[in-house]
Amino acid sequence: MLAYKLSGLPMLISDEMVAKYMRGTKPIHDVMQSEIDEIQTLLFETINKTEDDYNDGIFQNFQEFTSLSGFTMSNIEDALAFNYYHEAIHTGMIMSIMKFL
């Protein structure tokens, strides 16, 4: 969403996937192995595709956006930098949850 949607481009994942896992959602059913496999594949495919698209210069019409944490993204480079922080938060949460399992 940060790279593609804010640049006015189609996202690499479906709107349904975004809606299912966006901020404010919670698990409402068991996740099937096929969905886990799809998410794992998307994690790597979207990184590679975004890198290719960045190198091809497609992120030209970036719409400035300020995150809830107060980080303002004015261009694709800002969005990619913020994404590292965003993903680190997810990783920290996953590691905390795993301590309880």
Side-chain angles (χ1 to χ4, degrees):
M1 288 181 65
L2 293 173
Y4 289 86
K5 189 167 188 171
L6 291 177
S7 295
L9 300 167
M11 291 188 299
L12 301 179
I13 60 174
S14 68
D15 290 338
E16 293 79 21
M17 181 75 75
V18 171
K20 188 172 185 179
Y21 292 102
M22 66 190 294
R23 178 182 28 256
T25 62
K26 60 183 179 180
I28 56 174
H29 63 76
D30 291 338
V31 177
M32 305 303 294
Q33 184 62 46
S34 59
E35 187 172 357
I36 293 169
D37 294 343
E38 178 185 9
I39 291 169
Q40 186 174 21
T41 298
L42 285 168
L43 286 171
F44 293 101
E45 286 180 356
T46 56
I47 290 170
N48 295 331
K49 176 69 171 146
T50 303
E51 181 179 19
D52 290 345
D53 288 344
Y54 177 82
N55 290 333
D56 290 341
I58 72 162
F59 301 107
Q60 295 299 313
N61 299 314
F62 194 87
Q63 179 183 349
E64 187 171 279
F65 176 76
T66 301
S67 72
L68 289 177
S69 58
F71 187 93
T72 299
M73 293 160 263
S74 301
N75 54 48
I76 188 61
E77 288 79 13
D78 291 346
L80 295 174
F82 176 78
N83 192 61
Y84 291 122
Y85 165 78
H86 179 84
E87 294 302 327
I89 289 176
H90 285 292
T91 301
M93 291 294 202
I94 291 167
M95 292 171 69
S96 294
I97 291 169
M98 289 180 70
K99 288 181 182 179
F100 294 104
L101 297 178

